Amino acid sequence: MSSLRAAARLRPIASRVTPSLRTQRPYSAAAAVKTSSEPSGEQPFFPNEPSGPTVKTAIPGPKSKAAITELDKVFDTRSLNMLANYQESLGNYIADPDGNVLLDVYAQIASIPVGYSNPALREAATSEQMISALINRPALGNFPQHDWADILKTGILTVAPKGLDQVFTAMAGSDANETAYKAAFMWRRQHERGGAHVEFSEEDIASSMLNQAPGAPQLSILSFKTAFHGRLFGSLSTTRSKPIHKLDIPAFDWPQATFPLLKYPLEDHIQENAKAEAEALADVERLITTHHLPPCAVVVEPIQSEGGDNHASPAFFRGLRALTKKHNVLMIVDEVQTGVGATGKFWAHDHWNLDTPPDMVTFSKKAQTAGYYFGNPELRPNKPYRQFNTWMGDPARALLFRAIIKEIERLDLVNHTAKVGDYLYAGIEGLAKQYPGEFQNLRGKGQGTFIAFDSPRRDEFLKKAKSVGINIGGSGERAVRLRPMLVFQQHHADILLDAMEKIVKS
Amino acid sequence: MSSLRAAARLRPIASRVTPSLRTQRPYSAAAAVKTSSEPSGEQPFFPNEPSGPTVKTAIPGPKSKAAITELDKVFDTRSLNMLANYQESLGNYIADPDGNVLLDVYAQIASIPVGYSNPALREAATSEQMISALINRPALGNFPQHDWADILKTGILTVAPKGLDQVFTAMAGSDANETAYKAAFMWRRQHERGGAHVEFSEEDIASSMLNQAPGAPQLSILSFKTAFHGRLFGSLSTTRSKPIHKLDIPAFDWPQATFPLLKYPLEDHIQENAKAEAEALADVERLITTHHLPPCAVVVEPIQSEGGDNHASPAFFRGLRALTKKHNVLMIVDEVQTGVGATGKFWAHDHWNLDTPPDMVTFSKKAQTAGYYFGNPELRPNKPYRQFNTWMGDPARALLFRAIIKEIERLDLVNHTAKVGDYLYAGIEGLAKQYPGEFQNLRGKGQGTFIAFDSPRRDEFLKKAKSVGINIGGSGERAVRLRPMLVFQQHHADILLDAMEKIVKS
């Protein structure tokens, strides 16, 4: 751990804050509490970050309760977890109206990349380019701005997965996936017709307007059991996480394949797990070759996130890529939750060493914008206006993603997260040895901070965490999922480990 | 017209620009050309706006062409209409990299409300609240910000349609409609079960995970022929605008009702049009009562926009409301394109004088954010996490909508648009008398600037418009649709009328 503790290369974030920004107020929460001094010698990314959580009241406290009552009159608050004051939040710490400041390892459902009130993002947010993007929002497909190519090339495309040099921008994870599905359907039908140059038939045209085949084809997207790909009608048809996500919503009769349920610790279940993965792949092949609505693509998460943090091995994903190649079916990797560094690689599928890249990779969350990457020119539909909508993304959010990417590069946050993830994993492994009943099926080794374990009293665990200063989330039925930001450091890991021990001991 | 010409109450926009903003550069384009002096005596909203278009090159000019070639390497440019430089665009005028400055009556497919580079929006875009909203984007359902109720109550909800006091925020028109559809399906199934308190059955739960009925119910949304409601899988199933929007995408087998095809001028076809509307309503009733997938909601645009600017009378919509009430089916009014003032009312359905409000009203485009309004508490699903996603909208865009609303109120832009729309309509009526073959089926009388006509050479008309300094759009197969911003004034109407005469004379 000594190399981690030294961490001399990590330059603190405030070093690039301009004087005029320093005088502004995002740091007031931090300033109000003791600032950090690191026993590990590690330099904090946010020098003014609190040295630890502050819990002043039960959460929600009186001020939050009053505000929630007001909010509930106009906005559904039944899924409210915690009312936040973001202007008082800094780095890894989220503040609430009652002065509570929690270490946040849930991070807006895994969507805050480089810390609250990050000065580099503030700089991007106040630029002339951003202001124009906000107040002059273009219909990008018709009237792109003159600097759109530059924004893409210096931002989103600099982190394009290997082999994929094109992007279609969207708004959030759900429509990123759905537009990727649409590209897949168009690609498949184009192949069936004999190529991009072949015109639509009269029957195609007429039937499409009636929502009937062949114009509205009897094809499908294959997804996995316990997968989550979004909650609009097409994406929800591929989502199989929980009944509450799906009940009462019409769905396409698309197929779902078995996802391998690995046993932990992995080293004690090598053969069993390999068998489970082989069976899952056989199920995929069966569905590709026999389902009454032939799949034109398989969509898969590198780690099933909402469904319970279910992992599979790189060999499984290589096998899946081989199967999709064999049957001329597209492979869409849904990196909405896994992408942008949290697994210790920029894209989680970088862990797999695929021979050929996925056909499409979707992203959102930590990117703060969304879309899908692709490389094969055949995935550009053969005519304009086939993949189109009014806004087609948001240049303001694309500018923010560019600033996030630059911040990740400046602080080498992907490698950092790989290392701090190893440290955190080792710490939880230690806890699991001490409290084996409380930390079950620990998973995410070598996957950065994308770590989870099952808890026998999961919902209680999450609730108690607040009382010891931690904001933490769950996934699936039993998992506690860790989703720290990329600026999560060893001293935060120490606080988190201490707190988790307190929770299970209480 | 004299009352229009006086327009003394219209305070120019620049009067509230702070000195520090004045020194910034959004006005350079305007400053480079002659500024307006109004023969009508009308005070311009943007004092530094160009006095008219400047056409320096063919469009695209050499600089645009080079940039488009670059852009095409990473972004599909086949639907590109014009490359824009928004930092040089001001008010009603859009600039391009070649120094062309066009009067823009298309306005980013009807989505720019109060002019390019509007100083009031700039002020909102540079506020501390906005910066925090941009860089600390919340998962609103779980961790709403402390001022979210206030942002809703001082913004989005101040313009809530009569009778609707709740909002579910979304990202764009498509997901606004789809989340409204989801609310409708949940509402219907809740009724079928016997109320919100009745638990899901085991069969509901199990079948939902298999995408099968009853959990994924065999129900539908009824829409109209030539309707447009978006292009994701659920919304696209209700869209019937053009084959190119629908080809190769699987769709739900949902019903489509006849939309009345009115004949113009209306006063010469009163009986025929009433008959067409009665037949359309009969078709709706037939589908509600007999379709094999029973509709739980009817979705309708006040004016079918993408489908060709197809209007129907207030009586038709009152009839539709009566039918939906009679059969206990919800009425969703899709105001994505018609909403926020362009028809001379804030919401186009305000023209109808309904006895009871629609059940849901969806919005996007000029709101620069999206979602659906509702009032009936039964439309809040009976459990949390049923209507949920990570971001659930975007506070940054909600703040922008609030600024737009305030600007609309400050300048009384809805009433203004009603008046300038009457002026513009009368002008086109004059042209239509002079050139009856060129301006056919003029429609939108009394509907603000939401005016359209059919052109025998529509695509040529749109293209030629650029050469005379006008950026204008089409809809459907033959319509030229006018979608000026709410800051479109009489002197802009004069320029537009002159230009349209030039086009048809050429």
Side-chain angles (χ1 to χ4, degrees):
Chain A
M1 297 296 154
S2 63
S3 70
L4 247 190
R5 281 176 197 273
R9 69 181 158 66
L10 304 178
R11 284 148 288 165
I13 276 177
S15 65
R16 65 196 299 264
V17 181
T18 61
S20 69
L21 286 171
R22 271 182 201 278
T23 59
Q24 291 173 13
R25 43 187 311 278
Y27 302 108
S28 53
V33 300
K34 193 162 74 81
T35 57
S36 19
S37 73
E38 299 320 319
S40 66
E42 176 187 49
Q43 276 211 29
F45 291 136
F46 287 81
N48 296 324
E49 221 184 14
S51 61
T54 304
V55 181
K56 291 185 173 169
T57 70
I59 295 174
K63 284 183 190 165
S64 295
K65 274 186 184 160
I68 292 166
T69 304
E70 268 315 290
L71 179 58
D72 191 65
K73 292 177 189 163
V74 293
F75 189 77
D76 190 348
T77 61
R78 289 169 301 170
S79 60
L80 190 144
N81 180 316
M82 176 183 168
L83 198 74
N85 183 331
Y86 295 105
Q87 280 146 298
E88 302 290 320
S89 301
L90 179 68
N92 293 271
Y93 287 87
I94 185 169
D96 83 357
D98 293 284
N100 299 297
V101 180
L102 307 191
L103 177 64
D104 189 0
V105 295
Y106 195 18
Q108 308 304 318
I109 320 181
S111 71
I112 296 289
V114 291
Y116 293 116
S117 305
N118 181 301
L121 300 200
R122 164 176 278 270
E123 207 174 303
T126 51
S127 68
E128 276 301 315
Q129 249 187 329
M130 178 67 85
I131 294 165
S132 179
L134 276 172
I135 68 179
N136 299 321
R137 186 172 189 176
L140 278 173
N142 278 168
F143 302 95
Q145 54 206 86
H146 67 292
D147 53 0
W148 184 231
D150 183 63
I151 293 170
L152 291 173
K153 284 194 274 189
T154 60
I156 295 179
L157 288 171
T158 63
V159 293
K162 205 178 145 188
L164 311 183
D165 62 354
Q166 308 270 310
V167 68
F168 184 84
T169 48
M171 308 281 290
S174 285
D175 66 309
N177 283 333
E178 294 210 358
T179 46
Y181 298 173
K182 286 179 70 170
F185 286 117
M186 291 189 245
W187 168 87
R188 166 70 170 248
R189 289 290 293 136
Q190 210 157 283
H191 267 249
E192 289 177 352
R193 270 187 205 101
H197 61 287
V198 182
E199 287 298 319
F200 306 117
S201 71
E202 283 306 309
E203 195 191 0
D204 286 339
I205 291 170
S207 58
S208 76
M209 295 300 286
L210 301 171
N211 291 6
Q212 301 294 331
Q218 295 284 318
L219 294 169
S220 66
I221 303 291
L222 173 64
S223 62
F224 287 93
K225 286 175 189 165
T226 51
F228 185 90
H229 301 291
R231 298 184 62 169
L232 300 171
F233 286 84
S235 49
L236 188 61
S237 292
T238 57
T239 284
R240 311 281 185 161
S241 42
K242 291 181 183 174
I244 201 73
H245 297 158
K246 292 178 68 71
L247 272 157
D248 295 348
I249 312 303
F252 292 106
D253 185 19
W254 292 350
Q256 57 173 335
T258 303
F259 193 79
L261 279 181
L262 302 190
K263 292 193 176 165
Y264 294 85
L266 293 176
E267 52 274 26
D268 297 345
H269 301 88
I270 291 171
Q271 271 194 314
E272 258 175 294
N273 287 341
K275 186 163 170 273
E277 293 193 338
E279 283 170 1
L281 289 176
D283 200 35
V284 169
E285 187 158 31
R286 179 184 66 81
L287 289 166
I288 289 175
T289 53
T290 67
H291 194 267
H292 73 104
L293 300 174
C296 63
V298 178
V299 62
V300 68
E301 296 157 276
I303 300 163
Q304 288 191 333
S305 305
E306 298 305 310
D309 276 54
N310 309 317
H311 294 245
S313 73
F316 171 79
F317 292 103
R318 287 193 296 268
L320 187 61
R321 170 80 284 199
L323 270 184
T324 55
K325 280 284 179 193
K326 178 180 170 189
H327 294 287
N328 201 27
V329 157
L330 300 175
M331 181 173 179
I332 303 172
V333 178
D334 176 345
E335 292 248 26
V336 167
Q337 189 152 167
T338 54
V340 191
T343 70
K345 305 265 189 193
F346 199 94
W347 301 107
H349 76 270
D350 291 339
H351 288 281
W352 302 341
N353 292 313
L354 294 179
D355 284 338
T356 53
D359 295 287
M360 288 181 266
V361 172
T362 63
F363 62 96
S364 183
K365 286 201 185 261
K366 283 196 185 62
Q368 293 283 302
T369 182
Y372 66 87
Y373 292 104
F374 65 106
N376 184 349
E378 284 184 6
L379 288 170
R380 262 197 197 184
N382 67 342
K383 288 180 193 290
Y385 287 104
R386 300 196 69 192
Q387 189 77 299
F388 186 86
N389 57 64
T390 299
W391 285 325
M392 287 179 48
D394 185 343
R397 294 287 172 189
L399 288 168
L400 201 73
F401 188 25
R402 182 169 74 179
I404 290 164
I405 292 165
K406 286 186 195 305
E407 189 68 349
I408 289 172
E409 284 169 358
R410 186 179 72 86
L411 297 170
D412 196 20
L413 291 177
V414 180
N415 288 320
H416 161 76
T417 296
K419 286 179 193 158
V420 81
D422 288 345
Y423 179 84
L424 177 61
Y425 187 92
I428 305 177
E429 215 170 22
L431 286 173
K433 280 195 185 119
Q434 232 179 319
Y435 309 95
E438 301 290 340
F439 297 89
Q440 302 170 358
N441 303 318
L442 178 62
R443 46 208 189 268
K445 188 173 188 173
Q447 300 286 316
T449 55
F450 213 100
I451 296 167
F453 55 85
D454 292 332
S455 162
R457 308 168 282 155
R458 196 270 309 267
D459 292 348
E460 203 189 326
F461 186 103
L462 303 181
K463 210 173 162 192
K464 270 194 186 160
K466 287 223 169 42
S467 68
V468 296
I470 308 291
N471 184 41
I472 194 167
S475 64
E477 298 301 330
R478 299 179 57 213
V480 175
R481 62 170 150 173
L482 305 187
R483 296 292 186 275
M485 306 161 191
L486 307 179
V487 291
F488 183 83
Q489 295 181 276
Q490 190 182 326
H491 62 278
H492 302 116
D494 291 334
I495 292 168
L496 175 61
L497 292 165
D498 283 352
M500 292 204 294
E501 184 164 17
K502 268 189 213 153
I503 295 167
V504 300
K505 276 168 78 175
S506 73
Chain B
M1 295 294 153
S2 64
S3 70
L4 246 189
R5 281 174 199 272
R9 69 183 157 66
L10 304 176
R11 283 148 288 166
I13 276 176
S15 65
R16 65 197 299 263
V17 181
T18 62
S20 69
L21 287 171
R22 274 182 199 276
T23 60
Q24 291 174 14
R25 42 190 309 280
Y27 302 108
S28 53
V33 299
K34 194 161 73 80
T35 56
S36 19
S37 74
E38 299 321 319
S40 65
E42 176 187 50
Q43 276 210 32
F45 290 137
F46 288 80
N48 296 323
E49 220 185 14
S51 61
T54 304
V55 181
K56 291 186 174 170
T57 71
I59 295 175
K63 285 184 189 163
S64 294
K65 274 188 184 160
I68 292 167
T69 304
E70 268 316 291
L71 179 58
D72 191 65
K73 292 177 187 162
V74 293
F75 188 79
D76 190 346
T77 60
R78 290 169 302 171
S79 59
L80 190 144
N81 180 316
M82 177 182 168
L83 199 73
N85 184 330
Y86 294 105
Q87 281 147 297
E88 302 290 320
S89 300
L90 178 68
N92 294 272
Y93 286 87
I94 185 169
D96 84 357
D98 294 284
N100 299 298
V101 180
L102 307 191
L103 177 64
D104 190 359
V105 295
Y106 196 17
Q108 308 304 318
I109 319 181
S111 71
I112 297 289
V114 291
Y116 293 116
S117 307
N118 180 302
L121 300 199
R122 164 177 277 270
E123 207 174 305
T126 51
S127 69
E128 276 302 314
Q129 249 188 329
M130 179 67 84
I131 295 165
S132 179
L134 276 173
I135 69 178
N136 300 321
R137 186 174 188 174
L140 278 173
N142 279 168
F143 303 95
Q145 54 207 84
H146 68 292
D147 53 0
W148 184 231
D150 182 62
I151 292 170
L152 292 174
K153 284 194 274 190
T154 60
I156 295 179
L157 288 171
T158 63
V159 293
K162 206 179 145 189
L164 311 183
D165 62 353
Q166 307 270 310
V167 67
F168 184 84
T169 49
M171 308 282 289
S174 284
D175 67 310
N177 282 333
E178 294 210 358
T179 45
Y181 298 173
K182 287 179 70 170
F185 286 117
M186 291 188 247
W187 169 86
R188 166 70 172 246
R189 290 288 294 136
Q190 211 157 283
H191 268 248
E192 289 177 353
R193 272 188 204 98
H197 61 285
V198 183
E199 287 298 319
F200 307 117
S201 70
E202 284 305 311
E203 195 192 0
D204 286 339
I205 291 169
S207 58
S208 76
M209 295 301 285
L210 301 171
N211 291 6
Q212 301 293 332
Q218 295 285 317
L219 294 170
S220 65
I221 304 290
L222 173 64
S223 62
F224 287 92
K225 286 175 189 165
T226 53
F228 184 91
H229 301 292
R231 299 184 61 168
L232 300 171
F233 286 84
S235 49
L236 187 60
S237 292
T238 57
T239 284
R240 312 281 184 161
S241 42
K242 290 181 183 175
I244 201 75
H245 297 159
K246 292 178 69 73
L247 272 156
D248 295 348
I249 311 303
F252 292 107
D253 185 18
W254 292 350
Q256 57 174 336
T258 303
F259 193 80
L261 279 180
L262 302 190
K263 292 193 177 164
Y264 293 87
L266 293 176
E267 53 274 26
D268 297 346
H269 301 86
I270 291 171
Q271 271 196 313
E272 259 174 294
N273 288 341
K275 186 162 170 272
E277 293 192 338
E279 283 169 359
L281 289 176
D283 200 35
V284 169
E285 186 157 33
R286 179 184 65 80
L287 289 165
I288 288 175
T289 52
T290 66
H291 194 267
H292 73 104
L293 300 174
C296 64
V298 176
V299 62
V300 68
E301 296 157 274
I303 300 163
Q304 288 192 334
S305 304
E306 297 305 311
D309 275 54
N310 309 317
H311 294 243
S313 73
F316 172 77
F317 292 103
R318 287 193 297 267
L320 188 61
R321 170 80 283 198
L323 270 183
T324 55
K325 281 283 180 193
K326 176 180 171 189
H327 294 288
N328 200 25
V329 157
L330 300 175
M331 181 173 180
I332 303 171
V333 178
D334 176 345
E335 292 248 25
V336 167
Q337 189 153 166
T338 53
V340 192
T343 69
K345 303 266 189 190
F346 200 94
W347 301 107
H349 76 269
D350 291 339
H351 288 280
W352 303 342
N353 293 314
L354 294 180
D355 284 338
T356 55
D359 295 288
M360 288 182 267
V361 172
T362 64
F363 61 95
S364 183
K365 288 201 185 258
K366 283 195 185 62
Q368 293 282 303
T369 182
Y372 65 87
Y373 292 104
F374 66 105
N376 183 348
E378 285 184 5
L379 288 170
R380 263 196 196 184
N382 66 342
K383 288 178 192 291
Y385 287 105
R386 299 195 70 191
Q387 189 75 300
F388 186 86
N389 58 65
T390 299
W391 286 325
M392 288 179 46
D394 184 343
R397 293 288 173 190
L399 288 168
L400 201 73
F401 188 24
R402 182 170 72 180
I404 290 164
I405 292 165
K406 286 186 194 306
E407 189 68 348
I408 289 172
E409 284 168 359
R410 185 178 73 88
L411 297 170
D412 195 20
L413 291 178
V414 180
N415 288 321
H416 162 76
T417 296
K419 286 181 194 159
V420 81
D422 288 344
Y423 179 83
L424 177 61
Y425 187 92
I428 305 176
E429 216 171 22
L431 286 172
K433 279 194 187 122
Q434 231 179 319
Y435 309 95
E438 302 290 339
F439 298 88
Q440 302 171 359
N441 302 318
L442 178 62
R443 45 209 189 269
K445 188 172 187 173
Q447 301 285 315
T449 56
F450 212 100
I451 296 168
F453 54 86
D454 292 333
S455 161
R457 309 168 282 155
R458 195 269 311 269
D459 292 349
E460 203 190 327
F461 186 103
L462 303 181
K463 211 174 160 189
K464 270 194 187 160
K466 286 220 171 43
S467 68
V468 295
I470 308 291
N471 184 42
I472 193 167
S475 64
E477 300 301 329
R478 299 179 58 214
V480 175
R481 63 169 148 173
L482 305 188
R483 295 293 186 274
M485 307 161 190
L486 306 179
V487 290
F488 183 84
Q489 294 180 276
Q490 190 181 327
H491 62 279
H492 303 114
D494 291 334
I495 292 169
L496 174 61
L497 291 165
D498 283 352
M500 292 204 294
E501 183 164 18
K502 269 189 211 154
I503 296 166
V504 300
K505 276 168 78 174
S506 72

